[in-house]
Each structure stands twice: as C-alpha cells, then as structure tokens.
Amino acid sequence: MPRDHWRRITVAVILTSALTLVHPGSASAASITSDNADAGFTASANWGISGWSSQRYGADYRYATPNTTGSDVAWFALTVPAAGNYQVEVWYPADPGYNDATPFVVAASGGTQTVRVNQRVNGGRWVSLGAFSFDAGTGNAVGVSRWSTGTGYVVADAVRLTGDGGGQAGFSLPVSRTLLPRSEYDDPHHDYPAIDLPVDTGTSVYATRPGTVVRVDDTSCGRGINLTGTDGAVYTYCHLSAWSVATGATVATGQQIGSSGSTGNSTGPHLHFGIRTGSTYRCPQNYLLAIYDQVTPPAAAALPTTGCYY
C-alpha cells in the first residue's frame, strides 16, 4: 500500500470542533443506559450475581453457565424515545475464564439479530455490537443468551443505546460521530484515493459495513484491517494501535474492529481509511459524508476514482 502521512491539527482544534460544530438537520445523539440492577432487567434463577471483578459496571453483574439446549436470555428492557437508528454497546468484565462466544441478542425493528462477543477481552469499557434500527416504545431491547458452544461463564452487566448510531442502519462512520466535524470527511488525501482522519491513539474504530475481516501488518499500513463487506467492496483501515477482531471474523456494522494509532508509515496518530472495488481505489469522501448526513451512501462501485487527492 502507498505510504501515508499525517495532516497536523492541534488537539484544541479537534476538541473545539467536536463540541461546537453540528451539521444542520442531524439529530442530537441521545444515550439510554440499562444496568443489570435496574428494574428493566429480567433473568431466570439460572443467572447468578457477582461483584468480583473491578471491571464491572455498577455494583455487580450477572453470570451463567452456557447451555446448548436453550437460550434462557437475560433481557435489558429500555424505553426508546423515537423510532430510528441506534448504536448498541455492551459493558462487561473480561476474564480468561469467561465465554469466548457470548450471544448478545438485539431486538431490532426488523427482527432479532445475534452478535457473538468474546468476553475474555475488552472488558471494563463499552464495546459496540453495531448500529440497529429500533421502534419507539418500551420493551426488551438487548439480551444475553446462554445458548453458546463456547466455554466459560456468559456475563450480563450493562447495555447502552445511542441515537444516530454513527449513521443509518447498515452503515456506520469508522469513528464515533461526535469526534470530528463534518468538514473532516471531505478532506483530500495526499497521493491516491483515500482519507486520513485526525484522531488520537486509542480511539475506537468501527466497521462501516457488515462483512469479514483480514488483519494487515506491514511497514506501510502498520497494523490494519481489510474488511470485505457484504457488498463485495474492501474497506481498509491503517495505522491501528491494536486489533479487536481476528482474521476471518464476521463483523456487524458499527462493531469495534480496532483502536487507532500511528503504526506503519505514519508520522502521527490518525486513521487511514480507504475503499477498493477489485483493484480500483475509490474516493471515500462522498460515502462518509452521506453516512454523516444520515442518508444512504452511494454504492462503492459508483464512487469516483479522482478528485479526492493532490
């Protein structure tokens, strides 16, 4: 992959932009959080209570042994204020003895969807399951199932829904929508179709489309990800400080796949993002701007190949 570079921008400018620039017509993000101790949480007697791990959210969390004959879901009920698209995140303590394929069940408007999470890693923080469409109202929104072929306890601790989900259902920005103003998504790249997004090391990086990932690790991209979307396009992420998924993993839209950094041919922390169809590099700016504006983005094959670099 061709070399990359860093467009310098001060932290002060990044923070000011993130706090003050809001694109007209975009709804403000609203978060709804539910802990296992809240009244909206329900679970059978098969689910124990523990406060052992310091990575827990709140005073305690629930745990249960896996069961390959029944689901026995522990549900978090939430009140969704308005129909729309929401980023779904979960919190759990991680431990080598916990389950490596915990099924999280999302009761989206189009039907329930299951996302499996390795609860041996990424504990003590919010982990994205992806962006999903929800109807307005109160009811079971996210659950943890015992129906796992993995080994170790499955854990239910806390869930969070955030309005706008980084875009509309099926699409997500590669970083949280609150981090950068709209103007950052139309900047040209330096020598071929791509874009550099100025974010600090450790920033969560998300799958913009559902698909299958392959890790990259070379002197140019550094630690990276090639995500082959269900649309057949390849979405490339470079200069990561860490991966969150393994080669061959199937990921959902908005699921965290890594953390940004400055590995490879890079002179400072940022996220390099590119789109390729076959061997053709495409300009990702219109794609990202559409997601930011919460409209359906152009198909990858329809994106231009010139006009986005200098």
Side-chain angles (χ1 to χ4, degrees):
M1 177 173 293
R3 64 182 178 83
D4 227 322
H5 84 304
W6 164 243
R7 285 183 304 100
R8 296 190 178 277
I9 183 168
T10 65
V11 173
V13 172
I14 292 174
L15 293 175
T16 301
S17 298
L19 292 172
T20 62
L21 297 182
V22 178
H23 178 62
S26 63
S28 59
S31 290
I32 313 158
T33 302
S34 178
D35 179 58
N36 75 95
D38 293 344
F41 179 84
T42 56
S44 74
N46 295 317
W47 289 81
I49 301 176
S50 176
W52 172 76
S53 176
S54 62
Q55 293 182 342
R56 66 186 180 274
Y57 184 97
D60 53 40
Y61 54 96
R62 299 296 186 99
Y63 67 95
T65 56
N67 180 5
T68 58
T69 62
S71 189
D72 191 17
V73 178
W75 282 105
F76 294 86
L78 295 168
T79 298
V80 179
N85 304 304
Y86 292 80
Q87 185 77 250
V88 178
E89 298 167 290
V90 297
W91 186 294
Y92 56 85
D95 186 84
Y98 290 166
N99 202 280
D100 58 355
T102 298
F104 281 87
V105 183
V106 181
S109 58
T112 58
Q113 301 181 49
T114 300
V115 179
R116 296 184 182 274
V117 174
N118 182 357
Q119 292 191 308
R120 297 176 182 178
V121 297
N122 298 324
R125 55 177 168 169
W126 290 111
V127 175
S128 174
L129 300 185
F132 299 84
S133 176
F134 285 87
D135 295 325
T138 301
N140 290 335
V142 182
V144 183
S145 170
R146 295 176 58 207
W147 203 327
S148 172
T149 57
T151 57
Y153 290 128
V154 295
V155 175
D157 194 351
V159 302
R160 180 171 72 179
L161 269 60
T162 302
D164 297 340
Q168 63 184 65
F171 301 92
S172 174
L173 291 172
V175 296
S176 174
R177 192 173 188 275
T178 60
L179 287 181
L180 300 172
R182 186 180 188 275
S183 58
E184 290 292 346
Y185 292 103
D186 63 4
D187 283 353
H189 194 242
H190 58 95
D191 58 357
Y192 68 100
I195 194 169
D196 292 334
L197 299 174
V199 291
D200 292 335
T201 295
T203 299
S204 296
V205 173
Y206 304 120
T208 67
R209 295 285 282 149
T212 304
V213 303
V214 174
R215 288 183 177 181
V216 177
D217 194 1
D218 59 36
T219 57
S220 180
C221 184
R223 294 190 187 98
I225 289 284
N226 278 329
L227 165 60
T228 300
T230 53
D231 59 352
V234 177
Y235 300 85
T236 297
Y237 304 73
C238 287
H239 312 310
L240 304 179
S241 59
W243 296 289
S244 299
V245 290
T247 290
T250 299
V251 297
T253 301
Q255 182 176 337
Q256 183 172 351
I257 58 176
S259 301
S260 62
S262 186
T263 58
N265 190 2
S266 170
T267 59
H270 70 289
L271 173 66
H272 170 97
F273 179 77
I275 301 176
R276 177 168 50 84
T277 56
S279 60
T280 303
Y281 289 91
R282 304 281 178 175
C283 294
Q285 284 78 359
N286 290 345
Y287 174 83
L288 296 175
L289 287 169
I291 298 174
Y292 189 95
D293 293 341
Q294 306 199 1
V295 298
T296 301
L303 293 170
T305 59
T306 61
C308 64
Y309 59 95
Y310 51 86

